[in-house]
Amino acid sequence: LGDLSKYRGRDGGVNFLIESARKYVGELEIVAIAPLTNIARAMSVDAGFASRVRKVWMMGGDYSRDFAEHNMKCDVEAAKIVFESGMEISVMPLDVTRQVAIPVSEFDFLGDGDLGLEVRQWAEFKKLDINNPHDLMNLLSAVRGEIFDVSRAGSVEVSESGVTVHREGNGNVYVVRGCDVPAVTSAVFKALGR
């Protein structure tokens, strides 16, 4: 992707998304690990944005209970816009990422580098002795799909509070329903260089 520094802090990445979709028409796959604000903004600035994106891989929602997951409830309107965009979407929900609970001590090999500190600080802040690799699992679903159980295509509705409901049938949204926990755990450590 080249030097990304020209996008730092300017617009939250909206122009980067638009320029990338124009440069890589039909090839761009977006891995979203936060609220969908920037993707929705890119769609509002560039009416053709969604048609140029191949797929969106997102971490968000919880499809096992009536619960508004962080990435959905932080920007409900953006979530609605993205889910209604017609883009092909694969969702890695919170209820699946919580299936993979790795003891924090297993990440000691990361040492005192940024990632090692981040894992420990998050665990201390949340008073947890485990780590659920939410965002990394989203990325792994894009490159190691065989270790995940995925729904048939359908649609997702987002309530005003951010609760998500997936309905299989007509639609463009696939929701991960489960995973091979040992295989995912192994893939997490391989990705992190252990």
Side-chain angles (χ1 to χ4, degrees):
L1 292 173
D3 180 14
L4 303 178
S5 62
K6 69 180 181 177
Y7 299 101
R8 198 174 307 142
R10 244 178 61 202
D11 66 351
V14 174
N15 285 331
F16 174 71
L17 287 170
I18 292 169
E19 290 171 22
S20 296
R22 288 178 179 166
K23 183 175 181 178
Y24 301 103
V25 176
E27 297 177 55
L28 181 65
E29 296 189 31
I30 300 169
V31 178
I33 58 171
L36 301 170
T37 307
N38 292 340
I39 298 172
R41 283 186 184 157
M43 291 170 55
S44 71
V45 170
D46 178 357
F49 175 80
S51 67
R52 290 191 289 276
V53 172
R54 181 176 177 182
K55 189 167 187 174
V56 175
W57 302 85
M58 73 170 66
M59 173 22 218
D62 187 317
Y63 298 86
S64 67
R65 58 192 169 141
D66 187 24
F67 178 77
E69 182 272 333
H70 175 81
N71 290 343
M72 298 297 110
K73 72 180 177 185
C74 282
D75 195 338
V76 171
E77 190 58 33
K80 289 180 179 185
I81 289 168
V82 173
F83 278 122
E84 295 171 4
S85 69
M87 289 186 286
E88 183 176 338
I89 298 170
S90 179
V91 182
M92 174 60 67
L94 181 66
D95 50 295
V96 174
T97 62
R98 285 191 166 165
Q99 293 175 16
V100 179
I102 303 170
V104 172
S105 61
E106 292 291 317
F107 294 94
D108 287 349
F109 74 96
L110 295 171
D112 291 330
D114 291 342
L115 188 54
L117 289 173
E118 176 73 23
V119 168
R120 287 192 304 280
Q121 288 171 348
W122 179 252
E124 289 170 17
F125 172 72
K126 296 294 277 185
K127 297 181 178 26
L128 298 171
D129 59 356
I130 54 101
N131 179 281
N132 306 104
H134 308 289
D135 301 334
L136 187 49
M137 284 179 66
N138 186 36
L139 178 60
L140 287 171
S141 72
V143 297
R144 294 281 315 275
E146 74 279 2
I147 60 178
F148 297 94
D149 174 36
V150 181
S151 73
R152 292 181 304 131
S155 60
V156 168
E157 293 176 19
V158 183
S159 75
E160 293 304 316
S161 64
V163 174
T164 50
V165 176
H166 180 250
R167 289 186 173 72
E168 289 187 355
N170 294 330
N172 55 306
V173 181
Y174 301 83
V175 175
V176 176
R177 297 184 292 203
C179 66
D180 178 337
V181 173
V184 171
T185 301
S186 176
V188 165
F189 287 126
K190 184 177 181 183
L192 295 175
R194 183 171 118 181

